[in-house]
Amino acid sequence: MKKRIVITGMGTKNAIGGNVSEFARSLREGVCGISQIDLFDTTDFRTHKGGQVKDFDPRRSIPEEFSLKRISRADALSMAAALEALTDAGLYPLQENIKENMGIAIGGGAGGLLEAESFYADLLRKGKERSKYSQLSSLFCASSADRIASSLEFSGPRATFMTACSAGATALGYARDLILNGHAGIMLAGGVEPMCRLTYAAFNALKSVDEDVCRPFDRNRSGLSLGEASAVLVLEPLETAQNRGAKIYGELMGYGVTCDSFHMTSPDEKASGAARSMRAALADGGLTVEDIDYINAHGTATPVNDLTETKAIKEVFGSRAYQIPVSSTKSMHAHTLGASGALEGIVSLLALSKRFVPPTIHWRERDPECDLDYVTQGARRAELRAVLSNSFAFGGNNTTVIFGRYEGQGAIHE
Amino acid sequence: MSEHRDFPDNRRVVITGLGMATPLGTGREEFSRRLFQGESAVDAVQAFDTGAAASHLGAEVRDFQPRDFISIKNLRRMDRLSMLATASARLALSDAGIAVTAENRDRVGILFGTAFGATDVTVQFEDALLAQGPGAANPILVPNTVMNAPAGYASIELGFRGVNVTVTHFAVSAETAVAYAASEIRRGTADVMLAGGADILSKFYYEALSKFRGLSPDDGGPEGAHPFDERRNGYVAGEGCGLLCLESLACARERGAKICCEITGAGLGSSPAPPTAWPRDPEGFCRAFLRALKQARIDVADVSAVMAAANGSRVLDAVEAAAYEGLFASRAVRPWVTSIKGALGESFSGGGIRACALALSVERGCLPLTVGLERPAAPLNFVAGKKVKTHLKHTVLSGISFGGACACLVFSRCE
C-alpha cells in the first residue's frame, strides 16, 4: 500500500495574513487584501491595485543568525514562510538526522526580478561599468530554495518548478513523490511570488487585470488582481509524524498534472486540460467525485478562466458539481501566480482542519453560465472530508491537488 | 548481484529516442559523429558583440533551421529557447518512432529543465518597460518570458497533452527533470516522457556570467575550456538542447522499439553553498551519487564510466575530482571519467545534451574524450587525448550546480 503523506506545518506571508493563524482568520472573515500597491511606482500603469504583502520587514521574521545580505524580496518572503512552517511542525531548530534527509521543492515565480529591475534601470541610466551586478545574484527563482536549503543545511533534494501559475501546486505533488520514492524523509514544499514591474506590466499588456478588485465568477468580472505571497508546507510520512507526536493538518491524497496543448495564454475552451487534471488527481488519490466536499477553484476572475473552469467542474463532477461549494479565495489574497497553488493548498488544509468553507468575496451578479455554488455570502462552517484545489497556468499547464481530512492521532480538533 | 531485472518491465524505464540541437549539430547522426570525433564547438561568439565582457569564446548552436522542425504558425510566436526545445522534442519522438495521435496524446508528456529561461526575451521586455514605460510592453512577448514556454510550445506544436512540467534548478535543471520524468513512467502517469533541458546564450546573460567571474579566463590568462586540467581558469559558456524519450520497458518491448539504454537510478542531494558559488564540500554530491547507485541496486565497483559535471571551473572541477577520488578509492580498476563541456561549453541545463551523449556512449560502447584536457589535475582515469571503446554496463551522469544542488542518474545497458 502507498505510504500516506501528511502536512504537519505551514507558513505564509500574503496580503491577508502575516502568518497562518492570521491568514485563517482573514479567510473566515472574508478580508480583502487588494489595495493600492507601493512596492514600485504605478503611475504609468493602467491599474494600481494588487494583493501586496504590506509592512514586510525581513528582519522581524528571520532571526539574526541568518544573513540577509543581498536577499531578494522573494527569498526573504519564502525564508520567513519556511521558518514559520518548520516551527509550526515542531522541527525547528533542525536536528542533524533530520537535515540529512530533508529536501525542498518550491514553485517559483519572478524570483529576484524586482531587485534586478532596479539594477537594470540603473544600468540603462548609468551604464554598464557603474552598475552593481551583485544585485542579480538572486535573480532566478531557484535562488529561494537554495537560500533556504543552504541556510538550514539540508542535504536532501532541491528543486524549483516553473509552470507559471500552477508551480506551487506542482511542487506539492512532486514533494510527495520524492518522499514516496525514497529520495527524502521530510520535504518543505511550497511556492513564492514577489510583485515586480515585469509581471505587473505583462498582465496589464494582456489586458487581463481588473482595475478595481477581481470578482471571480461574477457576471461582470473583467480580470484578475495580481498578488504576491510565500507559502511553505511541511510534508512527511504519517508514520514519522505520529512517531514524533506532531499535529496533523491533513493528508495530501493525490495530484494530477496535464497540459492543454492549445494556446500559450488562453485555456482550451473545451476545458479538456482542466477536466483531465481533476480526473488525474482523483485517480491518483483513489477517490471519486463523491469524496470531494469543497473545490478551491483556480477562479482568477478572467472571463475565460471562470467559464472554462466551471465547465470542467461540471464535466468531471456531473450533478455533484451543484451540490458542493466552489470558491475562489483569490478574491481576498489576489492571484499569487507561482505561489498560488501552495497558498491555496494552505487554504484547503485550513478549511479541512478548522472546518469551514472560505468565501468568494466581491461577487455581485450571477452569470448564467457560471451557475455553481460559489459561496458568495460569507464563510460557512462545514465538515469536509476532502478538498480539491485547482491551479491552471499559461503554457497550458494544469495541476490539481487533493487534500483529505485526517482523523487519527495528532489530528487538529477545533 | 541484485539488478533491475527484478522489477517488472512496466517499472523499468528505458531511453528509446534522442533529440538535440547543440553546438555540435542537430539530430542524433550529426551530434554523435562530431561528438565522438572529438570535435570542439568552442569558438569566438558570433551572435552578439562580446566587447563589453572580459571573455569572447562560446559554444553556439549554429546552422540550426527551425523551419525544418516547426510549423510557421507556431514559429512566429516562439523565442529561440522554445525553438531549440520544440525541435529537439520532435527529433526525440521521431528517433523513438513515436507518432502523437488522438489515442495516445494524453499519455505523452514532457519534463523540461532550464536554468535561466529565455533571458533574451526578458531583457527585450524589460528594455521597453523600463526605458519607455508600461505602454511599450509587448503582450506577444509575455508568455515567452516565463520558463514554461518551451514545454508549452512543444506541446502545442506536437500535440501531446500529458504531464507537462518545467523544472529550474540552475546547473542540475535537466538532470532533475530526467529523474522526475523517470518517476512519472514508473508511477504510470505517462507512457512516454520527453525529458532533458535547454539554455541559450544571450548578450545580457553572457555579460552577467562574465561579471560574476564564472567565465574563462577568470585570471587574465588564456581563454579556453579545460575541464579537470591544471590550466583551467573558468568555463566557456555554451547553449543548446537535449531531450531523451523515455518509456517503460514493457511499452518499448510491446511496440518493438529499439532500446538505447536503461535509466536504473537517480539520486538527488545537496551541500550548503553561497547563492552563486559552487559547493566546496563534496559531501552533497557524494550523497546524490550513492543514492543513485542505491536506487540502481549497484555498487561503486559496478560503475564503468562517469559523465562528469566538470566545466573548467577551478572550484567545481576540484570538488568533483575529490569526490571521485573518495568514492573510487577502494577500487583496483577505476571507472572512466569524461566531460564533454570542453567541447560544448557550460550551458547549465546542458544535462540534457550530456544525457544524450551518455546514452549514445552506452549504446555504442564508446566514450567521447574530454576536449581541452591535457594536464590532468587529479589522478583519475580520464578519457583524454582520444575516445575509449569499451563495454559500458553501468554509467553515471553527474550533476552539480552552483548554489549546492546535486543530481546523478545511472544509465545502464539494457539487458
Side-chain angles (χ1 to χ4, degrees):
Chain A
M1 210 185 83
K2 202 150 85 176
K3 238 192 236 180
R4 293 171 68 184
I5 303 297
V6 295
I7 289 85
T8 55
M10 308 198 289
T12 182
K13 293 274 176 204
N14 64 68
I16 58 168
N19 54 51
V20 171
S21 56
E22 192 188 351
F23 185 42
R25 207 160 51 238
S26 297
L27 288 168
R28 263 208 192 106
E29 290 168 6
V31 170
C32 173
I34 301 158
S35 60
Q36 170 71 46
I37 62 169
D38 59 14
L39 264 184
F40 49 85
D41 183 6
T42 61
T43 312
D44 296 334
F45 288 87
R46 189 178 61 89
T47 66
H48 310 283
K49 288 184 176 180
Q52 183 186 329
V53 178
K54 292 277 168 70
D55 307 317
F56 175 58
D57 171 6
R59 209 16 115 203
R60 283 219 314 265
S61 309
I62 303 170
E64 293 285 342
E65 61 196 279
F66 300 108
S67 160
L68 297 179
K69 199 177 159 198
R70 289 182 201 157
I71 198 167
S72 67
R73 183 174 176 84
D75 291 0
L77 286 168
S78 54
M79 183 74 184
L83 288 169
E84 185 192 350
L86 287 170
T87 307
D88 185 38
L91 288 167
Y92 187 78
L94 287 167
Q95 288 173 357
E96 288 303 320
N97 63 328
I98 298 238
K99 289 177 183 176
E100 198 172 314
N101 280 309
M102 186 147 214
I104 183 163
I106 292 289
L113 208 49
L114 181 71
E115 291 76 15
E117 282 165 349
S118 306
F119 158 83
Y120 205 66
D122 270 2
L123 185 129
L124 292 176
R125 263 200 314 274
K126 299 193 237 161
K128 288 190 169 102
E129 292 317 309
R130 299 184 47 207
S131 309
K132 282 200 198 117
Y133 276 79
S134 62
Q135 282 174 290
L136 296 179
S137 58
S138 304
L139 169 56
F140 294 95
C141 60
S143 155
S144 296
D146 271 352
R147 165 93 58 169
I148 294 166
S150 285
S151 304
L152 296 167
E153 300 173 323
F154 299 172
S155 303
R158 299 181 189 177
T160 303
F161 294 88
M162 192 36 186
T163 51
C165 305
S166 66
T170 309
L172 296 183
Y174 277 92
R176 183 203 70 172
D177 287 351
L178 285 172
I179 299 175
L180 290 181
N181 296 334
H183 288 291
I186 300 182
M187 287 291 296
L188 276 189
V192 60
E193 182 74 52
M195 277 200 163
C196 69
R197 299 165 192 86
L198 179 138
T199 311
Y200 208 74
F203 281 89
N204 265 302
L206 292 169
K207 300 197 168 35
S208 47
V209 187
D210 193 315
E211 279 180 58
D212 186 23
V213 290
C214 68
R215 299 179 191 285
F217 303 108
D218 183 281
R219 180 178 197 150
N220 300 309
R221 66 187 180 276
S222 61
L224 50 83
S225 295
L226 282 166
E228 62 174 1
S230 61
V232 176
L233 297 81
V234 176
L235 272 60
E236 60 185 301
L238 174 60
E239 208 183 10
T240 317
Q242 283 177 336
N243 285 345
R244 60 181 197 88
K247 70 168 184 293
I248 294 169
Y249 285 99
E251 182 175 351
L252 201 165
M253 309 282 290
Y255 78 101
V257 179
T258 65
C259 177
D260 282 358
S261 177
F262 177 74
H263 189 271
M264 288 301 280
T265 53
S266 296
D268 174 2
E269 284 144 20
K270 292 193 197 115
S272 155
R276 283 183 290 114
S277 154
M278 286 187 260
R279 286 203 180 103
L282 288 166
D284 182 46
L287 301 166
T288 71
V289 295
E290 297 302 324
D291 297 313
I292 305 296
D293 288 329
Y294 162 54
I295 295 174
N296 181 270
H298 184 54
T300 54
T302 63
V304 61
N305 174 80
D306 294 5
L307 177 62
T308 311
E309 188 171 10
T310 298
K311 257 190 221 173
I313 292 171
K314 289 185 201 170
E315 191 194 314
V316 174
F317 283 76
S319 62
R320 188 161 174 79
Y322 293 91
Q323 293 158 12
I324 52 174
V326 177
S327 73
S328 170
T329 50
K330 289 187 176 75
S331 57
M332 294 178 265
H333 52 64
H335 189 1
T336 62
L337 311 176
S340 66
L343 185 64
E344 289 159 38
I346 293 182
V347 172
S348 305
L349 287 153
L350 287 171
L352 284 163
S353 59
K354 294 181 181 287
R355 298 171 161 75
F356 74 105
V357 175
T360 303
I361 66 169
H362 305 310
W363 185 93
R364 292 184 299 205
E365 194 181 333
R366 188 181 164 85
D367 177 341
E369 290 187 288
C370 293
D371 54 353
L372 300 175
D373 169 10
Y374 299 112
V375 200
T376 55
Q377 306 302 314
R380 287 178 204 161
R381 269 205 83 74
E383 295 280 330
L384 307 170
R385 292 166 301 155
V387 174
L388 179 147
S389 178
N390 280 330
S391 296
F392 308 138
F394 279 6
N397 291 162
N398 311 298
T399 303
T400 299
V401 186
I402 301 174
F403 302 91
R405 183 161 71 196
Y406 171 72
E407 292 282 15
Q409 174 207 327
I412 294 169
H413 293 287
E414 281 201 26
Chain B
M1 190 176 61
S2 167
E3 293 231 346
H4 257 240
R5 263 167 279 172
D6 302 345
F7 286 124
D9 289 357
N10 61 359
R11 301 265 302 161
R12 290 176 62 180
V13 181
V14 293
I15 299 172
T16 54
L18 306 173
M20 66 294 271
T22 82
L24 287 179
T26 298
R28 175 199 269 263
E29 299 312 320
E30 187 189 2
F31 175 69
S32 56
R33 178 173 46 79
R34 294 171 65 186
L35 176 75
F36 290 104
Q37 272 172 6
E39 196 178 314
S40 171
V42 172
D43 191 12
V45 171
Q46 291 179 0
F48 48 85
D49 176 17
T50 57
S55 307
H56 310 286
L57 294 178
E60 297 176 282
V61 178
R62 294 176 186 162
D63 308 319
F64 167 68
Q65 302 297 335
R67 282 284 309 276
D68 295 348
F69 310 98
I70 304 162
S71 66
I72 292 285
K73 174 172 152 274
N74 291 324
L75 198 57
R76 277 185 305 134
R77 294 177 170 270
M78 287 164 72
D79 59 282
R80 181 168 157 80
L81 182 68
S82 296
M83 289 177 198
L84 295 175
T86 304
S88 301
R90 184 180 289 286
L91 283 163
L93 286 171
S94 116
D95 188 41
I98 291 171
V100 179
T101 64
E103 284 69 44
N104 71 8
R105 64 183 176 178
D106 292 348
R107 304 278 302 162
V108 180
I110 185 166
L111 245 148
F112 182 74
T114 181
F116 301 113
T119 46
D120 52 345
V121 183
T122 305
V123 167
Q124 193 186 345
F125 189 88
E126 292 277 15
D127 260 338
L129 168 63
L130 299 174
Q132 300 163 59
N138 181 356
I140 297 291
L141 297 180
V142 170
N144 300 2
T145 63
V146 191
M147 287 182 184
N148 68 344
Y153 280 119
S155 79
I156 292 169
E157 171 70 18
L158 298 162
F160 51 82
R161 310 198 301 180
V163 175
N164 191 302
V165 171
T166 299
V167 179
T168 175
H169 217 90
F170 300 127
V172 293
S173 302
E175 292 85 344
T176 307
V178 174
Y180 290 157
S183 103
E184 294 289 5
I185 297 286
R186 284 200 192 97
R187 199 157 84 87
T189 41
D191 292 332
V192 175
M193 285 297 295
L194 296 168
D199 270 293
I200 50 149
L201 282 172
S202 74
K203 187 166 190 285
F204 176 79
Y205 156 82
Y206 190 89
E207 287 168 7
L209 290 177
S210 171
K211 289 277 182 189
F212 276 98
R213 302 179 62 85
L215 299 181
S216 168
D218 62 7
D219 59 354
E223 188 177 354
H226 301 287
F228 290 123
D229 193 285
E230 280 174 6
R231 298 164 300 159
R232 71 187 188 279
N233 59 2
Y235 53 83
V236 167
E239 63 175 0
C241 180
L243 291 174
L244 309 171
C245 178
L246 310 183
E247 52 192 311
S248 71
L249 179 59
C251 258
R253 283 222 172 107
E254 194 183 304
R255 62 182 194 87
K258 69 173 164 37
I259 293 164
C260 181
C261 65
E262 178 173 0
I263 301 185
T264 49
L268 308 164
S270 54
S271 279
T276 54
W278 303 100
R280 285 177 181 271
D281 160 17
E283 204 190 318
F285 170 68
C286 291
R287 208 185 293 262
F289 192 96
L290 293 171
R291 279 176 179 158
L293 300 193
K294 190 178 165 202
Q295 200 184 65
R297 301 186 184 188
I298 59 168
D299 186 72
V300 178
D302 302 317
V303 177
S304 338
V306 168
M307 175 73 69
N311 61 15
S313 143
R314 282 165 214 275
V315 176
L316 169 66
D317 298 18
V319 167
E320 189 176 10
Y324 296 143
E325 284 182 59
L327 286 163
F328 308 143
S330 61
R331 292 193 59 189
V333 182
R334 294 181 162 201
W336 292 103
V337 176
T338 189
S339 166
I340 60 169
K341 291 182 187 174
L344 286 143
E346 173 60 89
S347 62
F348 300 98
S349 336
I353 300 175
R354 297 196 304 124
C356 289
L358 185 58
L360 286 165
S361 302
V362 175
E363 185 185 77
R364 297 174 156 216
C366 184
L367 290 162
L369 68 99
T370 308
V371 174
L373 173 57
E374 284 158 31
R375 287 156 47 187
L380 294 167
N381 195 15
F382 291 115
V383 185
K386 61 179 194 326
K387 65 188 171 196
V388 166
K389 288 192 177 166
T390 179
H391 178 77
L392 297 168
K393 185 148 197 228
H394 298 289
T395 63
V396 179
L397 180 72
S398 296
I400 306 176
S401 181
F402 61 87
C406 302
C408 294
L409 299 163
V410 182
F411 288 9
S412 307
R413 260 198 100 76
C414 186
E415 308 288 355

